[in-house]
Amino acid sequence: MNSEIILDLGRQPIANKFLTSLSESDSEYFYRLKVLIERNTGLVSLKTLVPPEKMFNDDYVYHSSGSQTMRKHFKATAEKLNIEYAPQSVLEIGSNDGAFLKNWNTSIADSVEPCGNFAQITNSLGYRTLNSFWNQTTAKELDKKYELIYSANCFCHIHDLHDAFGAIKSVLSSNGVLVIEDPSLNKMVERNSYDQIYDEHAHIFSVYALDKLARSSGLRVIRVEELDIHGGSNRVYISHADSSHKVSFSVGRMLHIEKVNGVTSAAGLSNFEENVSRSKKTLYDKMHEFKKQGHKIISYGATSKSTTVFNYCGLGTDIFDYIIDVTPNKIGKYSPGMHIPVTNCSSGIPEDVTIAFLGAWNFEKEIVAKESKFLERGGIFITHVPEVREIKCTK
Ligand code: TYD
């Protein structure tokens, strides 16, 4: 065997597939969520890959512009890349609702997006958007070279990475740069944030694995930046192997950190499953204890991540009254697998709620600031990252 299983998160549904009505539960799709590491490349991937059409379709509910943090992030990233490279041609792969794309002139920026609802939005804004998955066939259709290619939280979704990097090779201009941002394996293991693992994240990348993959397509990693975004991501810069870009010190530094932390081999990752299982037990016991004490408990943010947590830990409507979320096409639906109702809550957490699980723990700062009244009246946020803990008013 060329790979080894490192974690089993049990039976899971499609993390972003919210049910419109409970009657849909009879036909809900489930699969076994196991994670493996490939021995040769150190690539960490799901054992069972969910067909992309089941995840990325016209019903896709995640909006990049859904939070202030993400809007600011994409604007700042576009400004930074513009100052640094002043590209005359830009391609975004996985442009969602255009949060990044909107920061570029329509005359220089194109995109590729498999979800029809989003491709329609950016096309109507004037950006040429191909409504396709990223692969060699799509690259041929573009029929053009780009100086900057940007892709956030998209490469980790792509099953065939050799094809995806091959496609980059064919459309990246000779001195162009590909910039990808995806959740970091190193941070996930460090923070025990196992809920980064769900159907859409076919891979959780180490820079070690990315560099091996890039090199096998005649590309190479030239720079790495660590980001707080999405609970800990890496921004990885990639160029043609023979470009004039120098390989920055940041690459060697990150490769060293990953080696020391053991995230490039099954042996190095041997404690991860035990840590995840301990987190599950602690969270389960804590939530049941709160319920026994008579608390009214909700979850904050109907995230894909919380789908993994709730299905893995067995936390459902016995614990949570509902989940609140601002995303219009999640509201009125039911969470995947556990079928917890999702409601709108533009006026903040209701007065009678005493405990709120942070499904969107990656927005802890934004949410805690926004919900200061909840904390001031004695409300408690619970998160499991980096360990199960309570967030209370400190005043
Ligand atoms: P995100 O963490 O990006 O999700 P995923 O795990 O699915 O990748 O999604 C955050 C979700 O939380 C999104 O549905 C919007 C919601 N949200 C709120 O409802 N209110 C808020 O204040 C914030 C910051 C997010």
Side-chain angles (χ1 to χ4, degrees), residues 15-16 61-63 66-70 195-196 198 200-201 230 300-306 324-327 330 359-363 366-367 370-371:
N16 244 330
V61 288
Y62 179 79
H63 274 250
S67 78
Q68 199 192 32
T69 310
M70 292 315 293
D195 51 342
Q196 292 285 8
Y198 51 91
E200 287 176 30
H201 290 170
H230 279 300
Y300 201 110
T303 57
S304 312
K305 293 186 286 294
S306 59
I324 53 172
D325 199 288
V326 292
T327 314
K330 290 183 186 174
W361 56 264
N362 45 319
F363 293 109
E366 181 175 338
I367 294 171
K370 193 156 60 172
E371 299 293 346

Side-chain angles (χ1 to χ4, degrees), residues 40-326:
N40 297 338
T41 56
L43 181 65
V44 168
S45 309
L46 305 191
K47 181 169 189 285
T48 305
L49 296 174
V50 173
E53 299 73 21
K54 282 200 183 291
M55 303 178 277
F56 309 110
N57 47 47
D58 296 359
D59 298 330
Y60 192 63
V61 288
Y62 179 79
H63 274 250
S64 295
S65 304
S67 78
Q68 199 192 32
T69 310
M70 292 315 293
R71 287 194 299 276
K72 273 195 196 159
H73 170 73
F74 286 123
K75 188 164 188 291
T77 304
E79 280 165 7
K80 175 186 160 78
L81 295 173
N82 196 21
I83 290 169
E84 199 139 342
Y85 298 112
Q88 293 309 301
S89 50
V90 177
L91 174 68
E92 184 178 11
I93 301 171
S95 48
N96 196 271
D97 62 0
F100 175 81
L101 204 58
K102 271 181 222 167
N103 299 288
W104 302 90
N105 199 303
T106 51
S107 63
I108 64 160
D110 298 335
S111 73
V112 174
E113 168 56 53
C115 302
N117 49 339
F118 291 131
Q120 199 178 2
I121 294 176
T122 47
N123 263 317
S124 69
L125 291 171
Y127 297 96
R128 178 190 179 209
T129 303
L130 299 188
N131 182 201
S132 313
F133 287 98
W134 179 248
N135 51 37
Q136 308 242 22
T137 314
T138 306
K140 278 198 191 97
E141 223 179 298
L142 286 168
D143 197 25
K144 186 176 165 185
K145 303 257 185 201
Y146 293 89
E147 292 176 4
L148 174 69
I149 305 179
Y150 178 76
S151 189
N153 303 302
C154 178
F155 263 66
C156 64
H157 296 162
I158 298 177
H159 294 180
D160 187 347
L161 291 168
H162 289 288
D163 181 69
F165 280 115
I168 293 291
K169 180 86 186 152
S170 69
V171 297
L172 187 65
S173 70
S174 57
N175 224 25
V177 179
L178 162 70
V179 178
I180 61 174
E181 291 177 18
D182 294 282
S184 146
L185 177 66
N186 186 52
K187 277 283 176 283
M188 180 186 83
V189 172
E190 190 178 288
R191 296 180 177 170
N192 210 22
S193 50
Y194 63 88
D195 51 342
Q196 292 285 8
I197 302 168
Y198 51 91
D199 52 290
E200 287 176 30
H201 290 170
H203 320 280
I204 308 280
F205 294 128
S206 59
V207 172
Y208 174 85
L210 273 177
D211 194 43
K212 288 219 159 193
L213 285 160
R215 281 176 190 273
S216 69
S217 294
L219 302 163
R220 68 175 178 191
V221 173
I222 52 167
R223 180 166 150 194
V224 179
E225 286 161 3
E226 290 180 86
L227 308 173
D228 259 347
I229 221 76
H230 279 300
S233 301
N234 282 326
R235 177 183 287 148
V236 179
Y237 295 68
I238 293 171
S239 73
H240 288 286
D242 57 359
S243 77
S244 66
H245 294 283
K246 294 229 162 36
V247 178
S248 125
F249 171 75
S250 59
V251 179
R253 181 184 162 272
M254 184 52 72
L255 291 175
H256 177 70
I257 292 173
E258 290 179 345
K259 196 166 175 215
V260 169
N261 290 349
V263 301
T264 56
S265 70
L269 287 164
S270 59
N271 289 336
F272 185 46
E273 183 151 41
E274 201 181 305
N275 294 342
V276 171
S277 158
R278 194 176 318 118
S279 171
K280 168 184 178 170
K281 184 173 181 331
T282 313
L283 184 65
Y284 183 92
D285 291 349
K286 197 172 193 63
M287 298 316 282
H288 280 82
E289 187 54 36
F290 279 136
K291 198 70 189 176
K292 233 194 277 167
Q293 290 168 0
H295 283 282
K296 186 169 175 87
I297 309 174
I298 63 157
S299 188
Y300 201 110
T303 57
S304 312
K305 293 186 286 294
S306 59
T307 297
T308 294
V309 175
F310 297 159
N311 285 275
Y312 173 61
C313 298
L315 299 171
T317 48
D318 53 336
I319 297 293
F320 299 106
D321 282 36
Y322 52 87
I323 304 173
I324 53 172
D325 199 288
V326 292

